Amino acid sequence: MKNSEGKKGNILDVRDLVIHYELEESTVRAVEGMSFTLGYGETLAFVGETGAGKTTTALGLMRLVPSPPGRMVGGEIFFEGRDIMKASGEELRAIRGEKISFISQDPMTSLNPVMSVGSQIAEMVVLHSGLSMRESRARAEEMLSLVGIRKERMGDYPHQFSGGMRQRVLIAIALACSPALLIADEPTSALDVTIQAQVLNLMKGLKERFDTSMIMITHDLGIAAETCDRVAIIYAGRIVEMADTESLFTEALHPYAIGLFNSIPRIDDDRDLLDALPGLMPDPARLPQGCPFHPRCAHASQECENSAPGLEDVGNGHLLACWLRGKRNSEVGSVAQ
Amino acid sequence: MVKYVLKRILYLIPVLAGVALIVFTLLYITPGDPAKMMLGERAGEEALRQFRQENGLDRPFFIQFGNFLLKAVTRGDVGKSYITKRPVTEEIMEAFPQTLKLAGYSMLIALCVGIPFGIISAIKQYSMFDTTVIILAMIGISMPAFWLGLLLILLFSVNLGWLPSSGFESFRAMILPSVTLSTGSIAMLTRMTRSCMLEVVRQDYIRTARTKGQKERVVIVKHALGNALIPVITVSGLQFGYLLGGAMLTETIFSIPGVGRLMVNAIMMRDFPVVQGGVLFVALAFSVVNLLVDLLYGYVDPRIRADYK
């Protein structure tokens, strides 16, 4: 079954999503008005620092933000035309795993240590396919060999696998019901570099095979460039810039995005120090007034302190949230030099 | 697996020998002459000397201890009671069924109450239920058994007349002592289950189960409980071992002729062989329960099972 066959438009349409963690002493504004769309078969990267709200957004899409303290404050999420925000618990359970599935970032802790990997894959199949336990186990065996693990290891437990193998098992679980949307939350950040490439290639291959749309969360611009059609740069719970991968990599516009690119070491230059962005991401419990990036921005003006810029199209679907967009060429310069 | 069990049984030998040495030494240096205890204060010098000789009491400490161990290991003979003149093992075996019954009921109550309360408390953290359970558990742990036992007798036997205050044959008679004895264990298990559950439900694999679209009830019972119960099993085993040996107060209050009361009486009468045998028996029971718990542990946790091979 092809997920996107004959389907046009967007599988996912998120508008003004706001998610807060309401703690006793403060409110953490993890996601502040996130809007984006995802086309059928498309891969979108969420790039940003730790704590920018990437994972919270992803969990929000499945309505799995831990609550309390998490609360979905507002916004709309349309998945295949259905409003996820208004779905009942039962509808959500039917969507999770079958329609939208999730690969989390730490393979070492994401598998149940007292269940065999075979049962953990089969559990997913039983839940959504209506197959018997025996048929589900057969399907689980199939998935296991698809991710490159011998089916004889069905009965083995997570502690008998390496990190890379466990991530493969998690991928097998996530894809067992051929979901329409796969959310991968830094699927390779806990793995060795050599294993990273293997896992990424595996995911790319399987994504094409199952014709799945994908959101790839990462803080690694390299991974985004390699695997994704479009990239969204996320800062303090907002998308500050979003464009197709090529135009973002050739012409980043937001000062934060430019800073990210400048902080990547290059083999062909002889700088002693990398151009690190000054300062830290603001505490999401105490976001600054106006544009959340202005305290770290070299080009901040009074306008940036007063109000936050919205995400607007600056041409060819390149979206940018920055007051400097009009004056960019003269003042900020471009990253592609 | 068989090799592991054999190894563990072999480990019991040094443990029990150590316990035997400590108990034997303590009783050896305790003031009071066993010969006089047996024959009475007015016994003649000659009779006393003869008794000491017959029982090896005039031999050096290590020879006495060696003889004791040798007889204990080869014949299961840990001496005769000074008072009743019957073999200690016989006395203990007569008392043990009552203790086992009491400890068994108490453990059953503790498991049936403690674990569910702990689970609900953890799922509804900071709720009214949770707060109440935490306070009750605190009281349960702090309340001494003799005090609680007396209060229960006062209420249910003396004032209301619902339940008998002593005896051990009928099920009704076992209710008050079992409840008394189980209170501490209930509290321990509740707190343990609660904290383990709280830790487990925050784990990534619980989130994984939810992202699969699994029902919340199944997530809790199958994924969370399966992991949270592993440390709870250890504590349950320790508690059961403790119940088997530590029911002295409860058995005394409710006049249950178990091992605990046997030992209390023996201590008061300076019946050294019975005390010795009793302590050894408690140590043995504790070790065996622990061994069983460790085997059970391997059954529920595949990571530990791997170490058994």
Side-chain angles (χ1 to χ4, degrees):
Chain A
M1 179 190 73
K2 286 272 179 187
N3 278 310
S4 68
E5 217 162 66
K7 287 176 187 168
K8 292 235 165 70
N10 295 328
I11 185 172
L12 189 66
D13 189 349
V14 177
R15 294 174 198 161
D16 285 320
L17 188 64
V18 178
I19 304 173
H20 290 171
Y21 291 104
E22 291 171 346
L23 309 176
E24 239 166 72
E25 59 283 9
S26 61
T27 298
V28 177
R29 300 164 184 278
V31 177
E32 274 289 275
M34 192 94 84
S35 300
F36 62 91
T37 58
L38 180 71
Y40 280 99
E42 192 186 22
T43 302
L44 172 66
F46 279 180
V47 178
E49 290 168 71
T50 306
K54 308 181 299 277
T55 303
T56 303
T57 308
L59 290 175
L61 297 180
M62 305 178 82
R63 293 273 308 275
L64 275 174
V65 177
S67 167
R71 193 164 77 86
M72 314 268 300
V73 179
E76 291 167 308
I77 303 167
F78 290 99
F79 173 76
E80 294 190 320
R82 266 194 289 178
D83 191 350
I84 298 277
M85 293 295 274
K86 295 198 179 93
S88 69
E90 203 166 318
E91 287 166 347
L92 286 172
R93 280 200 302 275
I95 290 171
R96 289 175 198 148
E98 184 175 355
K99 297 281 181 191
I100 307 180
S101 65
F102 184 81
I103 300 175
S104 69
Q105 57 180 297
D106 191 351
M108 304 312 274
T109 57
S110 294
L111 288 166
N112 186 338
V114 302
M115 267 173 89
S116 69
V117 297
S119 315
Q120 296 192 54
I121 304 173
E123 182 185 22
M124 181 78 140
V125 182
V126 169
L127 271 172
H128 298 294
S129 65
L131 295 177
S132 70
M133 195 61 206
R134 177 175 302 190
E135 292 163 322
S136 298
R137 289 192 73 86
R139 170 83 182 143
E141 279 183 6
E142 239 173 73
M143 285 310 297
L144 212 51
S145 38
L146 209 56
V147 296
I149 297 174
R150 282 181 300 118
K151 64 177 189 205
E152 288 76 25
R153 302 206 60 185
M154 280 282 286
D156 284 355
Y157 291 88
H159 71 272
Q160 291 162 295
F161 293 87
S162 66
M165 299 275 265
R166 290 190 211 188
Q167 195 59 286
R168 285 163 187 269
V169 173
L170 283 163
I171 292 171
I173 293 174
L175 293 176
C177 297
S178 344
L181 171 61
L182 176 65
I183 303 172
D185 184 6
E186 307 201 14
T188 57
S189 59
L191 305 177
D192 290 341
V193 181
T194 46
I195 309 294
Q196 280 187 7
Q198 280 180 20
V199 169
L200 280 177
N201 285 335
L202 175 71
M203 286 182 62
K204 254 168 101 172
L206 291 176
K207 177 194 132 51
E208 270 153 38
R209 178 178 174 143
F210 290 103
D211 196 20
T212 302
S213 311
M214 180 153 90
I215 294 176
M216 169 75 84
I217 297 173
T218 178
H219 52 240
D220 186 335
L221 284 163
I223 289 175
E226 235 168 83
T227 52
C228 300
D229 305 317
R230 272 196 306 151
V231 178
I233 307 280
I234 296 183
Y235 187 80
R238 291 157 228 239
I239 295 176
V240 294
E241 184 166 5
M242 178 156 62
D244 63 90
T245 310
E246 206 188 320
S247 58
L248 193 91
F249 274 71
T250 50
E251 200 185 16
L253 298 174
H254 195 280
Y256 176 64
I258 295 171
L260 282 184
F261 281 107
N262 284 340
S263 60
I264 301 173
R266 284 165 194 265
I267 202 156
D268 57 353
D269 72 11
D270 48 6
R271 287 178 295 176
D272 288 334
L273 287 173
L274 293 169
D275 292 339
L277 279 163
L280 295 170
M281 203 171 59
D283 177 357
R286 281 190 298 271
L287 288 179
Q289 270 269 299
C291 171
F293 187 63
H294 87 260
R296 298 171 75 182
C297 183
H299 312 282
S301 62
Q302 193 59 43
E303 195 176 19
C304 306
E305 275 176 53
N306 291 341
S307 58
L311 199 60
E312 277 174 37
D313 196 333
V314 294
N316 299 326
H318 194 133
L319 303 177
L320 178 67
C322 180
W323 290 124
L324 290 171
R325 58 187 156 248
K327 326 164 198 169
R328 179 185 59 82
N329 288 330
S330 54
E331 289 180 31
V332 186
S334 167
V335 65
Q337 284 149 6
Chain B
M1 190 69 184
V2 177
K3 211 172 133 195
Y4 175 79
V5 176
L6 284 178
K7 199 168 78 184
R8 286 295 307 267
I9 290 174
L10 282 179
Y11 282 163
L12 281 182
I13 295 171
V15 171
L16 293 176
V19 173
L21 180 64
I22 292 168
V23 178
F24 196 86
T25 313
L26 280 177
L27 292 176
Y28 186 83
I29 58 177
T30 308
D33 182 351
K36 277 192 185 149
M37 299 290 306
M38 281 301 275
L39 304 176
E41 283 297 325
R42 291 197 204 134
E45 260 323 296
E46 188 54 34
L48 285 175
R49 199 167 57 237
Q50 201 186 338
F51 178 85
R52 288 191 190 114
Q53 207 169 6
E54 275 168 16
N55 290 278
L57 293 174
D58 53 349
R59 316 280 295 276
F61 170 79
F62 280 107
I63 304 224
Q64 282 191 42
F65 180 63
N67 279 339
F68 170 76
L69 265 193
L70 191 70
K71 274 199 277 181
V73 172
T74 52
R75 281 180 280 165
D77 174 9
V78 288
K80 279 183 187 159
S81 162
Y82 291 160
I83 315 289
T84 61
K85 314 277 191 273
R86 293 171 58 213
V88 171
T89 31
E90 217 171 85
E91 298 235 333
I92 290 174
M93 279 311 147
E94 237 167 58
F96 184 59
Q98 282 73 257
T99 296
L100 185 65
K101 199 159 107 181
L102 179 60
Y105 282 142
S106 303
M107 199 64 221
L108 201 67
I109 296 174
L111 290 173
C112 292
V113 177
I115 292 176
F117 271 44
I119 296 169
I120 300 171
S121 229
I123 296 172
K124 303 197 180 300
Q125 197 188 4
Y126 303 135
S127 65
M128 259 317 269
F129 181 89
D130 183 35
T131 317
T132 316
V133 164
I134 291 175
I135 294 171
L136 285 179
M138 200 66 211
I139 295 173
I141 283 184
S142 325
M143 178 92 85
F146 65 87
W147 177 242
L148 179 68
L150 293 177
L151 284 182
L152 288 178
I153 291 177
L154 202 61
L155 180 62
F156 290 103
S157 308
V158 180
N159 287 340
L160 296 172
W162 289 354
L163 295 164
S165 68
S166 64
F168 55 93
E169 260 119 26
S170 69
F171 177 73
R172 272 165 52 82
M174 289 305 287
I175 294 176
L176 284 185
S178 307
V179 169
T180 306
L181 189 59
S182 65
T183 317
S185 306
I186 293 176
M188 277 293 290
L189 287 186
T190 305
R191 287 163 55 114
M192 193 73 195
T193 309
R194 178 179 180 271
S195 66
C196 290
M197 278 299 283
L198 282 178
E199 181 161 340
V200 167
V201 293
R202 297 204 169 91
Q203 296 292 319
D204 286 344
Y205 53 82
I206 298 301
R207 190 175 71 188
T208 304
R210 292 199 177 113
T211 62
K212 285 177 178 175
Q214 189 56 276
K215 288 191 196 73
E216 190 59 23
R217 192 169 42 84
V218 182
V219 171
I220 294 298
V221 173
K222 189 166 157 193
H223 292 275
L225 206 53
N227 283 283
L229 279 187
I230 295 169
V232 174
I233 288 173
T234 319
V235 173
S236 307
L238 289 174
Q239 285 291 318
F240 189 58
Y242 156 85
L243 292 182
L244 278 180
M248 293 184 194
L249 289 171
T250 311
E251 285 180 5
T252 308
I253 294 168
F254 292 97
S255 323
I256 297 170
V259 179
R261 204 173 67 144
L262 180 75
M263 282 173 64
V264 171
N265 286 342
I267 291 167
M268 293 202 287
M269 315 262 266
R270 289 181 182 279
D271 194 349
F272 291 174
V274 177
V275 178
Q276 234 166 38
V279 173
L280 263 182
F281 178 79
V282 169
L284 179 70
F286 204 86
S287 309
V288 170
V289 169
N290 260 314
L291 172 61
L292 293 178
V293 166
D294 280 359
L295 295 180
L296 190 63
Y297 222 90
Y299 178 74
V300 288
D301 190 343
R303 286 162 296 186
I304 292 169
R305 189 151 63 227
D307 299 337
Y308 288 176
K309 281 163 192 158

PDB file of all heavy atoms in Angstrom, chain A residues 14-20 31-34 60 71-77 83 85:
ATOM      1  N   VAL A  14      -0.088  22.446  10.577  1.00  0.00           N
ATOM      2  CA  VAL A  14      -0.059  22.888  11.967  1.00  0.00           C
ATOM      3  C   VAL A  14      -0.161  24.405  11.991  1.00  0.00           C
ATOM      4  O   VAL A  14       0.557  25.093  11.264  1.00  0.00           O
ATOM      5  CB  VAL A  14       1.240  22.430  12.666  1.00  0.00           C
ATOM      6  CG1 VAL A  14       1.301  22.944  14.095  1.00  0.00           C
ATOM      7  CG2 VAL A  14       1.347  20.916  12.647  1.00  0.00           C
ATOM      8  N   ARG A  15      -1.085  24.896  12.824  1.00  0.00           N
ATOM      9  CA  ARG A  15      -1.278  26.350  12.876  1.00  0.00           C
ATOM     10  C   ARG A  15      -1.205  26.851  14.308  1.00  0.00           C
ATOM     11  O   ARG A  15      -1.969  26.416  15.162  1.00  0.00           O
ATOM     12  CB  ARG A  15      -2.650  26.708  12.294  1.00  0.00           C
ATOM     13  CG  ARG A  15      -2.741  26.396  10.817  1.00  0.00           C
ATOM     14  CD  ARG A  15      -4.145  26.614  10.312  1.00  0.00           C
ATOM     15  NE  ARG A  15      -4.329  25.923   9.042  1.00  0.00           N
ATOM     16  CZ  ARG A  15      -5.509  25.622   8.524  1.00  0.00           C
ATOM     17  NH1 ARG A  15      -6.616  25.927   9.183  1.00  0.00           N
ATOM     18  NH2 ARG A  15      -5.590  25.002   7.374  1.00  0.00           N
ATOM     19  N   ASP A  16      -0.280  27.766  14.524  1.00  0.00           N
ATOM     20  CA  ASP A  16      -0.174  28.474  15.814  1.00  0.00           C
ATOM     21  C   ASP A  16      -0.161  27.556  17.021  1.00  0.00           C
ATOM     22  O   ASP A  16      -0.832  27.810  18.019  1.00  0.00           O
ATOM     23  CB  ASP A  16      -1.338  29.474  15.975  1.00  0.00           C
ATOM     24  CG  ASP A  16      -1.114  30.687  15.103  1.00  0.00           C
ATOM     25  OD1 ASP A  16       0.043  31.136  15.028  1.00  0.00           O
ATOM     26  OD2 ASP A  16      -2.089  31.158  14.473  1.00  0.00           O
ATOM     27  N   LEU A  17       0.600  26.490  16.948  1.00  0.00           N
ATOM     28  CA  LEU A  17       0.651  25.547  18.062  1.00  0.00           C
ATOM     29  C   LEU A  17       1.377  26.179  19.255  1.00  0.00           C
ATOM     30  O   LEU A  17       2.464  26.731  19.114  1.00  0.00           O
ATOM     31  CB  LEU A  17       1.390  24.276  17.614  1.00  0.00           C
ATOM     32  CG  LEU A  17       1.384  23.114  18.589  1.00  0.00           C
ATOM     33  CD1 LEU A  17      -0.033  22.613  18.802  1.00  0.00           C
ATOM     34  CD2 LEU A  17       2.264  21.992  18.071  1.00  0.00           C
ATOM     35  N   VAL A  18       0.717  26.119  20.416  1.00  0.00           N
ATOM     36  CA  VAL A  18       1.318  26.657  21.637  1.00  0.00           C
ATOM     37  C   VAL A  18       1.287  25.570  22.705  1.00  0.00           C
ATOM     38  O   VAL A  18       0.221  25.034  23.019  1.00  0.00           O
ATOM     39  CB  VAL A  18       0.551  27.905  22.139  1.00  0.00           C
ATOM     40  CG1 VAL A  18       1.176  28.415  23.443  1.00  0.00           C
ATOM     41  CG2 VAL A  18       0.566  28.996  21.088  1.00  0.00           C
ATOM     42  N   ILE A  19       2.453  25.208  23.222  1.00  0.00           N
ATOM     43  CA  ILE A  19       2.517  24.193  24.283  1.00  0.00           C
ATOM     44  C   ILE A  19       3.358  24.739  25.436  1.00  0.00           C
ATOM     45  O   ILE A  19       4.474  25.212  25.234  1.00  0.00           O
ATOM     46  CB  ILE A  19       3.150  22.882  23.776  1.00  0.00           C
ATOM     47  CG1 ILE A  19       2.401  22.355  22.556  1.00  0.00           C
ATOM     48  CG2 ILE A  19       3.162  21.834  24.890  1.00  0.00           C
ATOM     49  CD1 ILE A  19       3.059  21.168  21.885  1.00  0.00           C
ATOM     50  N   HIS A  20       2.777  24.712  26.617  1.00  0.00           N
ATOM     51  CA  HIS A  20       3.488  25.198  27.800  1.00  0.00           C
ATOM     52  C   HIS A  20       3.673  24.076  28.805  1.00  0.00           C
ATOM     53  O   HIS A  20       2.891  23.128  28.845  1.00  0.00           O
ATOM     54  CB  HIS A  20       2.692  26.320  28.482  1.00  0.00           C
ATOM     55  CG  HIS A  20       2.669  27.585  27.676  1.00  0.00           C
ATOM     56  ND1 HIS A  20       1.876  28.641  28.014  1.00  0.00           N
ATOM     57  CD2 HIS A  20       3.328  27.947  26.559  1.00  0.00           C
ATOM     58  CE1 HIS A  20       2.052  29.627  27.121  1.00  0.00           C
ATOM     59  NE2 HIS A  20       2.922  29.211  26.230  1.00  0.00           N
ATOM     60  N   VAL A  31       6.718  25.760  23.312  1.00  0.00           N
ATOM     61  CA  VAL A  31       6.355  25.979  21.905  1.00  0.00           C
ATOM     62  C   VAL A  31       5.448  27.204  21.859  1.00  0.00           C
ATOM     63  O   VAL A  31       4.432  27.253  22.536  1.00  0.00           O
ATOM     64  CB  VAL A  31       5.637  24.740  21.314  1.00  0.00           C
ATOM     65  CG1 VAL A  31       5.210  25.012  19.887  1.00  0.00           C
ATOM     66  CG2 VAL A  31       6.541  23.512  21.387  1.00  0.00           C
ATOM     67  N   GLU A  32       5.852  28.211  21.072  1.00  0.00           N
ATOM     68  CA  GLU A  32       5.138  29.487  21.076  1.00  0.00           C
ATOM     69  C   GLU A  32       4.685  29.863  19.665  1.00  0.00           C
ATOM     70  O   GLU A  32       5.366  30.603  18.957  1.00  0.00           O
ATOM     71  CB  GLU A  32       6.066  30.592  21.594  1.00  0.00           C
ATOM     72  CG  GLU A  32       6.107  30.742  23.104  1.00  0.00           C
ATOM     73  CD  GLU A  32       4.827  31.323  23.664  1.00  0.00           C
ATOM     74  OE1 GLU A  32       4.690  32.556  23.692  1.00  0.00           O
ATOM     75  OE2 GLU A  32       3.965  30.536  24.070  1.00  0.00           O
ATOM     76  N   GLY A  33       3.555  29.300  19.243  1.00  0.00           N
ATOM     77  CA  GLY A  33       3.018  29.711  17.958  1.00  0.00           C
ATOM     78  C   GLY A  33       3.757  29.123  16.777  1.00  0.00           C
ATOM     79  O   GLY A  33       4.279  29.838  15.920  1.00  0.00           O
ATOM     80  N   MET A  34       3.819  27.810  16.719  1.00  0.00           N
ATOM     81  CA  MET A  34       4.504  27.123  15.642  1.00  0.00           C
ATOM     82  C   MET A  34       3.505  26.827  14.525  1.00  0.00           C
ATOM     83  O   MET A  34       2.440  26.280  14.770  1.00  0.00           O
ATOM     84  CB  MET A  34       5.073  25.817  16.205  1.00  0.00           C
ATOM     85  CG  MET A  34       6.038  25.120  15.321  1.00  0.00           C
ATOM     86  SD  MET A  34       7.719  25.566  15.690  1.00  0.00           S
ATOM     87  CE  MET A  34       8.134  24.487  17.023  1.00  0.00           C
ATOM     88  N   GLY A  60       3.703  16.839  20.756  1.00  0.00           N
ATOM     89  CA  GLY A  60       2.431  17.536  20.637  1.00  0.00           C
ATOM     90  C   GLY A  60       1.622  17.034  19.447  1.00  0.00           C
ATOM     91  O   GLY A  60       0.406  16.907  19.519  1.00  0.00           O
ATOM     92  N   ARG A  71       0.889  21.308  28.829  1.00  0.00           N
ATOM     93  CA  ARG A  71      -0.476  21.617  28.433  1.00  0.00           C
ATOM     94  C   ARG A  71      -0.459  22.166  27.014  1.00  0.00           C
ATOM     95  O   ARG A  71       0.349  23.026  26.684  1.00  0.00           O
ATOM     96  CB  ARG A  71      -1.105  22.642  29.370  1.00  0.00           C
ATOM     97  CG  ARG A  71      -2.608  22.768  29.198  1.00  0.00           C
ATOM     98  CD  ARG A  71      -3.225  23.473  30.388  1.00  0.00           C
ATOM     99  NE  ARG A  71      -2.996  24.907  30.332  1.00  0.00           N
ATOM    100  CZ  ARG A  71      -3.799  25.755  29.669  1.00  0.00           C
ATOM    101  NH1 ARG A  71      -4.859  25.316  29.023  1.00  0.00           N
ATOM    102  NH2 ARG A  71      -3.531  27.042  29.663  1.00  0.00           N
ATOM    103  N   MET A  72      -1.342  21.604  26.184  1.00  0.00           N
ATOM    104  CA  MET A  72      -1.473  22.102  24.817  1.00  0.00           C
ATOM    105  C   MET A  72      -2.367  23.332  24.909  1.00  0.00           C
ATOM    106  O   MET A  72      -3.582  23.206  25.049  1.00  0.00           O
ATOM    107  CB  MET A  72      -2.125  21.053  23.918  1.00  0.00           C
ATOM    108  CG  MET A  72      -1.563  19.644  24.057  1.00  0.00           C
ATOM    109  SD  MET A  72      -0.230  19.222  22.939  1.00  0.00           S
ATOM    110  CE  MET A  72      -0.968  19.405  21.343  1.00  0.00           C
ATOM    111  N   VAL A  73      -1.762  24.504  24.869  1.00  0.00           N
ATOM    112  CA  VAL A  73      -2.501  25.727  25.160  1.00  0.00           C
ATOM    113  C   VAL A  73      -3.389  26.129  23.988  1.00  0.00           C
ATOM    114  O   VAL A  73      -4.530  26.555  24.173  1.00  0.00           O
ATOM    115  CB  VAL A  73      -1.532  26.878  25.519  1.00  0.00           C
ATOM    116  CG1 VAL A  73      -2.301  28.157  25.807  1.00  0.00           C
ATOM    117  CG2 VAL A  73      -0.688  26.478  26.714  1.00  0.00           C
ATOM    118  N   GLY A  74      -2.889  25.988  22.779  1.00  0.00           N
ATOM    119  CA  GLY A  74      -3.715  26.410  21.658  1.00  0.00           C
ATOM    120  C   GLY A  74      -3.139  25.963  20.340  1.00  0.00           C
ATOM    121  O   GLY A  74      -2.083  25.338  20.267  1.00  0.00           O
ATOM    122  N   GLY A  75      -3.872  26.287  19.283  1.00  0.00           N
ATOM    123  CA  GLY A  75      -3.428  25.946  17.949  1.00  0.00           C
ATOM    124  C   GLY A  75      -4.245  24.821  17.354  1.00  0.00           C
ATOM    125  O   GLY A  75      -5.122  24.243  18.002  1.00  0.00           O
ATOM    126  N   GLU A  76      -3.962  24.529  16.106  1.00  0.00           N
ATOM    127  CA  GLU A  76      -4.680  23.469  15.419  1.00  0.00           C
ATOM    128  C   GLU A  76      -3.669  22.550  14.752  1.00  0.00           C
ATOM    129  O   GLU A  76      -2.637  22.997  14.263  1.00  0.00           O
ATOM    130  CB  GLU A  76      -5.590  24.062  14.332  1.00  0.00           C
ATOM    131  CG  GLU A  76      -6.755  24.845  14.883  1.00  0.00           C
ATOM    132  CD  GLU A  76      -7.428  25.656  13.802  1.00  0.00           C
ATOM    133  OE1 GLU A  76      -6.715  26.398  13.089  1.00  0.00           O
ATOM    134  OE2 GLU A  76      -8.651  25.532  13.652  1.00  0.00           O
ATOM    135  N   ILE A  77      -3.987  21.252  14.750  1.00  0.00           N
ATOM    136  CA  ILE A  77      -3.142  20.290  14.056  1.00  0.00           C
ATOM    137  C   ILE A  77      -4.055  19.486  13.147  1.00  0.00           C
ATOM    138  O   ILE A  77      -4.899  18.726  13.629  1.00  0.00           O
ATOM    139  CB  ILE A  77      -2.448  19.335  15.045  1.00  0.00           C
ATOM    140  CG1 ILE A  77      -1.621  20.109  16.074  1.00  0.00           C
ATOM    141  CG2 ILE A  77      -1.580  18.336  14.299  1.00  0.00           C
ATOM    142  CD1 ILE A  77      -1.162  19.269  17.243  1.00  0.00           C
ATOM    143  N   ASP A  83      -8.718  17.021  12.710  1.00  0.00           N
ATOM    144  CA  ASP A  83      -8.145  17.891  13.736  1.00  0.00           C
ATOM    145  C   ASP A  83      -7.712  17.052  14.950  1.00  0.00           C
ATOM    146  O   ASP A  83      -8.541  16.556  15.704  1.00  0.00           O
ATOM    147  CB  ASP A  83      -9.179  18.950  14.156  1.00  0.00           C
ATOM    148  CG  ASP A  83      -8.530  20.022  15.023  1.00  0.00           C
ATOM    149  OD1 ASP A  83      -7.363  19.823  15.438  1.00  0.00           O
ATOM    150  OD2 ASP A  83      -9.169  21.056  15.255  1.00  0.00           O
ATOM    151  N   MET A  85      -6.292  18.032  17.589  1.00  0.00           N
ATOM    152  CA  MET A  85      -6.576  18.665  18.880  1.00  0.00           C
ATOM    153  C   MET A  85      -7.953  18.281  19.401  1.00  0.00           C
ATOM    154  O   MET A  85      -8.204  18.347  20.598  1.00  0.00           O
ATOM    155  CB  MET A  85      -6.486  20.194  18.757  1.00  0.00           C
ATOM    156  CG  MET A  85      -5.095  20.719  18.468  1.00  0.00           C
ATOM    157  SD  MET A  85      -3.954  20.419  19.804  1.00  0.00           S
ATOM    158  CE  MET A  85      -4.252  21.858  20.836  1.00  0.00           C
TER     159      MET A  85
END
